[in-house]
Structures are given as structure tokens and as C-alpha cells.
Amino acid sequence: MLITNERATRSAYPSELQSVMSIAKAEESRDWISAWDSLNPGPTPLYELNGLARSLGIGKLYLKDESVRSDLGSFKALGAPIALARLILRLWPNHNLDPKLLFKGGYRSLLEAFTVISATDGNHGKGLAAAAQTMGCRCVIVLHANVSEEREQAIAVYGAQIVRTKGNYDQSVEEAAHLATTNGWQVVSDTSYEGYEDIPRDVMQGYSAIAAEIVEQTGAQPSQSGAFTHVFLQGGVGGMAAGLVSYLWEYQGEHRPSFIVVEPAQADCLLQSAIQGRAAKATGSVDSVMAGLACGETSPLAWKFLERSVDHFMTIEDGQAVEAMRILANGDDKDVPIVAGESGTAGLAALQVLRSNPDLSAQVGLDAKSCVLIINTEGATAPRVYADLVGESAESVQKRQAAWAGR
């Protein structure tokens, strides 16, 4: 399903949104987290995929590869850690804490009795657990019934206490909030709700680092059209999309690219929000192979940014995402093989659907001159699932990637 958002504008970035998320705050967050040894140094790769661009009948196709941001394997390494750091700074205002030293574990004795908690489908919880381990506080992660044992073990490695709950992601969010209230813990969630916006804002602001790198890697100039006509962004509760949109909208203003947000058909909360004109709930089961996007309720704070900036909202089927995983893994003589997880291929899957239908392509303005950016938000964060879906292990794909690069 594809809808055009009639509320989208081409105006300058509104001042009321800039007071919530801004380039200045994004750069501050980026500077702080650069001190964290868990991140690989430098920007993540921006690959040009000439073979795929030709097969799709577009001018250019680029992929920003967040799978190699860190050993955590996803863009979530940027969100929860920054939110945790800013939370600690707010809770200990008189200690004059150095944010960079916080990311070096310099205040462990101060934080040893401090506990944070969050619900997760996997990647957000892993990012929070890793940051908590570095900073020296306790971490509790709530997992719903559909989160695999493999993803649970990947979080537990970072010392988090795991709590299992019945139901889906949204029910695990409720359970995390209940446990926090009962035990006096602090919730570090990537979705907002009434009275809870500061931490989700900080999570989204952390994701803006991706957009900052894209601007630098493409040589974009302020208030001018950049390298891309179209940018595809994953949905979920809307946090990642809002983080990137806010930066690019502020930087490019009325010359921003067209934004297309993609989510699973059974977890269509953002598309429903566009239809209803407010933060809404999904109409489907929410359960999807795209685990990171299997969210049933839009974050109201994220929606404030997406409502006027996203030009189109779109849903895809699980099988389309899996096929895109295989295509990126295969590569060819023109394109480097890429390890992209189930949620990481949503943008490519959506682009393939649009280019297979002339009417849909026309609706979003895609043609032979279009320059498109997609974001690979995760690698093989569940290696066994990846191997089953792709028919090849992530390690094997990485070996072929190294061979391709060394030609």
C-alpha cells in the first residue's frame, strides 16, 4: 500500500521543531559518542550500487551501511547510548560530569546502584545494554514472546537482566513501564507517550549522526538540493526516520529530498497515522520477519516531525524484504555484496515494488534520472535467521565482500 501525504510541506524547518531536535544538538551528541570504544571509528560506508540502479531504471542508487557501525550490528548503537548519557547528566546535574568520560566508564562507582529498563525487539535493547555496561549501571530488558532466543542471548552478553513477557512489542513496553514504576528504575525507550518525551527525543537525536555523515560524504551544501532526489527510511515507531528527516530538513530546507517511509504491511502504524492525521495504531498483527519494524503504535513525538516532512508512506510484505536481503547479499560485478538484515532491506524492497509499477513510480516521482538513498539499518543481528532466509551465512557474504573490495 502506498499513500501520498497531503500534509507534507517544502517550507523551511519550523522553529518549534528546531527547539526539540537540531543540527547543533546532533553534532554535540555525535561528538560525545565518538569517545565510545564500542563504535568503529569514522563514518559508515556509503556504497554506490550501479548494477542495481541500472536494473531498476534509475539514475543512481546509494546505500548507507549501518551494519558496520559497531559490533552491535545496527544503527541502534547511536540512539540508546546517547539517551542514557543525557539522562545521567540530567539526574546528576551537580556532579559536572564529562560526557566523553561517561562513555569511557569514568563514573562507574557513581552509577553502580542506578538501573535502566527498556522493552525491545532486539537492537535497541542491545544498544542500551552495551552502553549501560560501559557506563557502569544496571540494565533490565523486557522481551516479548516473538523475540527469538538468539536475539535474547545477544543482549544478555552485555550483562543485562532479561525479563520475558507475553504478547507483542507494545505489551512489552507496558510491562517495562510497570516494572520501572514498581522498582524505581528509569525507562530508556525509543517511543514516546504522554509525559515521556525527553528520552525518546534524545534517542532520535542520536540517529541524526547518520544524516550528518551523509551530508559530509556527499559534499552537500546548506539550503541547497543535495545528492538525492529520494530517501527511503524505515518506519517502526518513527524514531529513526524522524532523526534523519529533522537533520536533512533543517540542513536543506525547502530543497530537501522526497522522503518515503516504509514499514511492514502488518505493522502499518505510520501509514495509519498519515491517513488519520494523528499518531495512530497499526491495523495488522504486528508480527513480522522485519522484527525491528514490528511496532504497533506510532511515537507521538516522532510523528510531529514526520507529519509535515514525509511525502509518502508505504507498506511492504515480508517476502519482499527477504528477497531484497538475497539481492544485496549476492552483489555482482558492479555492486559489492552486503549483509543486510530483515529490517535493513525495507528501503530496497519498497524501491523494487515502486519501479515494477509505472503508476506507483509516477506517484512518488521516480524516473530514469532519480538519485535514491536507502539505509541498511542492520546486519545479521540474528545470524541463524539470516542464514536461513538468505541461504548463506553472513560470514560467507562478508568474505565475498572483502574479495570484491580487493579486486
Side-chain angles (χ1 to χ4, degrees):
M1 186 172 181
L2 171 72
I3 69 164
T4 297
N5 178 23
E6 301 298 337
R7 298 177 186 83
T9 70
R10 288 281 168 178
S11 62
Y13 188 55
S15 58
E16 67 269 22
L17 296 183
Q18 189 178 35
S19 67
V20 181
M21 284 205 297
S22 67
I23 288 176
K25 281 291 186 183
E27 294 298 342
E28 181 181 62
S29 297
R30 189 181 174 200
D31 178 54
W32 291 357
I33 203 169
S34 67
W36 194 26
D37 290 339
S38 291
L39 294 187
N40 294 322
T44 55
L46 183 65
Y47 292 118
E48 185 173 358
L49 303 178
N50 292 318
L52 268 176
R54 183 177 295 109
S55 69
L56 291 166
I58 59 176
K60 295 285 186 180
L61 177 62
Y62 289 83
L63 178 145
K64 179 71 166 165
D65 190 6
E66 289 299 299
S67 72
V68 295
R69 175 69 63 182
S70 76
D71 288 344
L72 299 172
S74 84
F75 76 103
K76 296 283 188 175
L78 295 168
I82 278 293
L84 177 56
R86 290 194 180 277
L87 173 63
I88 291 169
L89 293 175
R90 286 194 295 271
L91 292 176
W92 279 272
N94 298 322
H95 283 67
N96 196 29
L97 303 182
D98 178 349
K100 288 190 171 182
L101 188 56
L102 192 59
F103 277 105
K104 293 292 186 182
Y107 302 103
R108 298 182 66 85
S109 59
L110 175 67
L111 302 173
E112 59 186 1
F114 177 55
T115 301
V116 292
I117 184 171
S118 183
T120 188
D121 282 306
N123 291 337
H124 173 79
K126 186 158 60 169
L128 179 61
Q133 186 180 66
T134 294
M135 296 179 194
C137 57
R138 294 185 62 246
C139 181
V140 179
I141 297 297
V142 182
L143 302 178
H144 60 84
N146 296 325
V147 177
S148 68
E149 181 72 21
E150 188 176 24
R151 292 187 187 277
E152 175 181 336
Q153 292 171 357
I155 297 169
V157 164
Y158 294 98
Q161 175 187 340
I162 305 297
V163 174
R164 279 282 185 174
T165 187
K166 297 178 180 179
N168 59 25
Y169 172 76
D170 300 300
Q171 289 165 302
S172 67
V173 170
E174 294 173 3
E175 178 63 14
H178 168 71
L179 289 172
T181 300
T182 301
N183 294 286
W185 300 337
Q186 292 285 332
V187 176
V188 179
S189 174
D190 58 356
T191 190
S192 66
Y193 43 85
E194 186 175 354
Y196 184 80
E197 289 193 343
D198 287 352
I199 290 172
R201 173 204 63 206
D202 296 337
V203 171
M204 295 190 300
Q205 193 74 87
Y207 300 152
S208 298
I210 300 170
E213 291 180 1
I214 291 167
V215 164
E216 292 173 356
Q217 288 171 311
T218 58
Q221 297 299 311
S223 302
Q224 296 182 22
S225 297
F228 309 110
T229 59
H230 298 74
V231 175
F232 286 75
L233 298 168
Q234 281 83 340
V237 300
M240 189 275 281
L244 272 69
V245 160
S246 66
Y247 193 104
L248 294 175
W249 188 5
E250 181 179 354
Y251 192 83
Q252 295 180 268
E254 63 185 48
H255 301 290
R256 67 168 180 79
S258 291
F259 294 116
I260 303 169
V261 164
V262 187
E263 56 195 338
Q266 59 271 49
D268 60 346
C269 60
L270 294 174
L271 184 141
Q272 291 301 320
S273 298
I275 292 172
Q276 299 175 37
R278 58 181 176 84
K281 296 183 179 181
T283 57
S285 66
V286 179
D287 186 25
S288 169
V289 71
M290 293 170 271
L293 306 181
C295 305
E297 295 189 35
T298 298
S299 169
L301 180 61
W303 182 245
K304 292 179 181 179
F305 292 86
L306 303 180
E307 181 178 18
R308 286 184 281 171
S309 61
V310 175
D311 300 280
H312 305 278
F313 291 87
M314 183 176 177
T315 60
I316 58 171
E317 302 295 335
D318 283 3
Q320 292 164 339
V322 173
E323 177 61 22
M325 291 172 68
R326 295 169 182 158
I327 289 172
L328 287 175
N330 287 340
D332 59 25
D333 61 330
K334 299 287 186 182
D335 298 340
V336 59
I338 296 170
V339 176
E342 307 92 288
S343 298
T345 60
L348 176 58
L351 178 59
Q352 290 179 297
V353 170
L354 294 176
R355 293 306 285 155
S356 69
N357 185 313
D359 291 337
L360 294 182
S361 282
Q363 184 175 340
V364 302
L366 280 169
D367 58 31
K369 296 182 180 179
S370 297
C371 187
V372 177
L373 171 67
I374 57 177
I375 314 292
N376 177 26
T377 51
E378 66 174 7
T381 53
R384 288 196 295 271
V385 172
Y386 180 89
D388 288 343
L389 294 175
V390 174
E392 182 180 5
S393 71
E395 290 79 6
S396 174
V397 176
Q398 287 164 344
K399 287 179 181 178
R400 290 194 292 105
Q401 182 184 84
W404 190 99
R407 294 181 305 174

